[in-house]
Amino acid sequence: MTTSPRMDPGEPDAPYLAFWQDRHLCTLTTLRPDGTPHVVPVGVTYDPGARLARVITRKTSTKVRNVLAAGPEGAPVAVCQVDGGRWATLEGRAFVRTDPARVAEAERRYAERYGRTPTPNPSRVVIEITLTRALGRA
C-alpha cells in the first residue's frame, strides 16, 4: 500500500505503478471555457518514464475542445481511477496531439493495458498529459 498520498509522477512506488497497469476505467476532468468541470469516463495509460498519461479519443469530443480552448500552454487536467479503498490521480497539463506516430503509440499502450486493440478511427487523436503530480493510495 502506498504510504503517502503524494509522490513524484516520474518515480511512482511499485504498488502505485501496478495499480495503473491493472485494467480500470478512469475519469478525465477538463475545464470548460466557463471554468466548470467536465468529467468523463476514459481509458488512460501511464508512462512514468516519459512523465505522460495518454487518452485516445476522437478529435470532435468535448474533452478535446476543452483542452484546445486552454491555448498553447495546455489545459490543467486530472485523470483518476478508484477500486474500493485504492485510488490514484495523475495531474498535469494536457495537449492534443494529432501526429500519427503519437496516436499509434497511444493506441499500442491502450491495447496493452486494456487487452483490446482500439477500432480503427481516422478522427482519432491523443490527449497527452505532461504530469506534474501523482496522488493516491494503491
Side-chain angles (χ1 to χ4, degrees):
M1 168 140 327
T2 301
T3 57
S4 171
R6 185 172 177 173
M7 68 194 74
D8 179 344
E11 296 182 19
D13 64 25
Y16 191 85
L17 183 57
F19 188 45
W20 277 104
Q21 292 169 336
D22 293 342
R23 186 181 190 278
H24 293 286
L25 187 61
C26 303
T27 60
L28 168 67
T29 302
T30 60
L31 298 177
R32 296 180 184 99
D34 69 3
T36 59
H38 174 73
V39 184
V40 293
V42 293
V44 176
T45 62
Y46 175 31
D47 180 357
R51 296 181 77 91
L52 285 177
R54 296 175 178 92
V55 175
I56 57 174
T57 188
R58 68 189 188 303
K59 64 183 171 186
T60 58
S61 71
T62 300
K63 56 189 158 289
V64 166
R65 287 195 306 270
N66 290 344
V67 171
L68 292 173
E73 297 82 32
V77 301
V79 289
C80 184
Q81 64 183 23
V82 177
D83 182 28
R86 299 184 307 157
W87 63 276
T89 299
L90 297 168
E91 298 177 2
R93 295 296 246 189
F95 301 88
V96 176
R97 308 295 191 198
T98 59
D99 175 69
R102 288 179 120 141
V103 173
E105 177 63 9
E107 291 171 330
R108 182 191 70 75
R109 289 175 178 275
Y110 178 95
E112 185 177 281
R113 181 174 190 201
Y114 291 98
R116 68 174 194 83
T117 301
T119 305
N121 182 344
S123 71
R124 181 166 291 130
V125 297
V126 59
I127 296 173
E128 288 185 347
I129 305 164
T130 302
L131 300 173
T132 57
R133 181 178 294 161
L135 305 160
R137 295 205 182 273

